[in-house]
Amino acid sequence: MRIGIFGTPSDPQTQALAREAKTLGVDSVIIESEALARGEPLSFEDGSTFYRRECLDDLRGFFLRFVPLPHVPTMERDDELVLYEDWYVRYMHSREHASVFLAWLLKLQHQKDTLLVNPPQAASVLQLKPYQLDALRSVGAQVPRTLISNDPERVRAFHAQVKDIIYKPVMGGAITRKLDEEALEGLDAITGSPVIFQERAPGDDLRVMLVGDDIVSSVAIVTPEQHLDFRADLAYSSGEASYREVKLPAAVEEQCRKAARLCGLHFAGIDIKHQGDRYVFLELNSSPMYYDVEYKLGHPITAALARYLVEGVRRAK
């Protein structure tokens, strides 16, 4: 029996999952997200799949760590991003690569005896932050007061009412920033595309890891100073952050489970702001970074993930 991992061999979480699967008597095939970009052979012939000329039809369980997305190739020059001269060809190649991988994943998703953690549809919709917020509200989770708009006047009115506001892109991919005087002066720029504006939620940054219905890790991220977005802290990005175990109330744990189920996730990282009795949900992640927590606190996240995937495949077979 074998499982597939869409990822990169150098990724610690990919390596850890392959090791844990091996302890369960299961080999792993790592399907590299950059394989097509390097010209690696991938073929689909009469319903069969060949990766690096090896048939993968026996694989019935897959973990999606990284999946390629279309991107416009840029480089930094004089502190500005500029396009490569052959950007259009590169972009078209990346679009075709992403299309092939997505078609492959959708085919696997429709095979009744195949388990994908997480399904491509779930990973895709989680890039749409407005959908996440509606899903969280529907299960009773508390979320920040939110305005999604490209109307500067509406944003100014929201700011006058709420006062302490942060903003971020609708699809993510950038650090959260404060709506300060300078940002308010530049609000007319948002007419080209809506932006998420939210009331700032104070408190500790919690990261909750969910595998199936099990909460396998719940920690507060500790950095030298609190930021609007902990990812901006150099201690966190350099792997020097520390973590403190947190026990969640049963009601909050159940909200985590319900939100993950509603979003179609077998495996989820959930970000929450905590202060006193207040737990404010920020977002769900379908492929969260967790290995630093596992390494430092010994939380068995990879083991739970490998067991869930392998046992799910065995039940299906």
Side-chain angles (χ1 to χ4, degrees), residues 27 79 135 138 166 169 176 281 285 296 300 312:
D27 292 326
D79 296 326
S138 72
I166 55 90
T176 299
F281 284 67
N285 192 314
K296 291 175 179 175

Side-chain angles (χ1 to χ4, degrees), residues 75-304:
M75 62 184 297
E76 191 170 324
R77 180 186 295 161
D78 298 328
D79 296 326
E80 291 187 3
L81 290 177
V82 297
L83 294 171
Y84 284 79
E85 290 184 3
D86 62 345
W87 71 268
Y88 183 74
V89 172
R90 289 175 181 241
Y91 170 72
M92 294 302 289
H93 281 170
S94 74
R95 192 188 72 163
E96 294 298 290
H97 299 164
S99 297
V100 167
F101 270 90
L102 180 58
W104 184 5
L105 292 169
L106 289 172
K107 170 198 168 186
L108 294 172
Q109 176 65 14
H110 286 92
Q111 292 179 181
K112 292 182 179 180
D113 58 348
T114 301
L115 173 63
L116 269 66
V117 178
N118 284 300
Q121 300 97 318
S124 296
V125 299
L126 283 191
Q127 296 180 48
L128 310 177
K129 305 301 182 186
Y131 170 80
Q132 284 197 36
L133 292 170
D134 286 336
L136 287 166
R137 286 192 197 97
S138 72
V139 300
Q142 185 174 2
V143 299
R145 292 190 62 183
T146 302
L147 169 68
I148 302 167
S149 179
N150 70 334
D151 181 352
E153 289 306 311
R154 186 97 181 187
V155 177
R156 292 187 183 101
F158 186 67
H159 177 264
Q161 183 182 26
V162 178
K163 305 299 184 185
D164 195 3
I165 294 178
I166 55 90
Y167 66 95
K168 55 189 175 182
V170 173
M171 286 194 68
I175 296 297
T176 299
R177 300 184 183 278
K178 182 177 176 60
L179 187 62
D180 55 18
E181 290 303 319
E182 182 180 356
L184 282 167
E185 291 176 3
L187 270 180
D188 288 342
I190 72 169
T191 56
S193 179
V195 176
I196 295 179
F197 299 90
Q198 289 183 319
E199 181 180 17
R200 181 182 180 184
D204 293 335
D205 290 293
L206 306 188
R207 168 58 64 87
V208 180
M209 304 302 306
L210 187 77
V211 178
D213 281 335
D214 296 329
I215 306 288
V216 295
S217 176
S218 177
V219 301
I221 300 170
V222 181
T223 53
E225 57 182 295
Q226 192 175 54
H227 291 264
L228 287 175
D229 190 328
F230 63 83
R231 294 172 300 173
D233 192 295
L234 291 177
Y236 178 81
S237 60
S238 63
E240 297 176 3
S242 58
Y243 307 95
R244 184 180 72 253
E245 294 193 23
V246 173
K247 176 61 178 175
L248 296 174
V252 174
E253 289 189 345
E254 187 58 23
Q255 288 169 346
C256 290
R257 295 186 186 97
K258 288 180 177 179
R261 288 192 210 109
L262 186 61
C263 292
L265 298 177
H266 302 280
F267 173 55
I270 303 173
D271 291 334
I272 300 174
K273 295 290 284 190
H274 170 229
Q275 187 177 59
D277 295 331
R278 194 167 183 248
Y279 293 83
V280 179
F281 284 67
L282 301 182
E283 63 180 24
L284 295 87
N285 192 314
S286 65
S287 183
M289 300 288 287
Y290 69 80
Y291 196 65
D292 197 44
V293 175
E294 178 166 291
Y295 176 75
K296 291 175 179 175
L297 295 186
H299 290 183
I301 304 169
T302 305

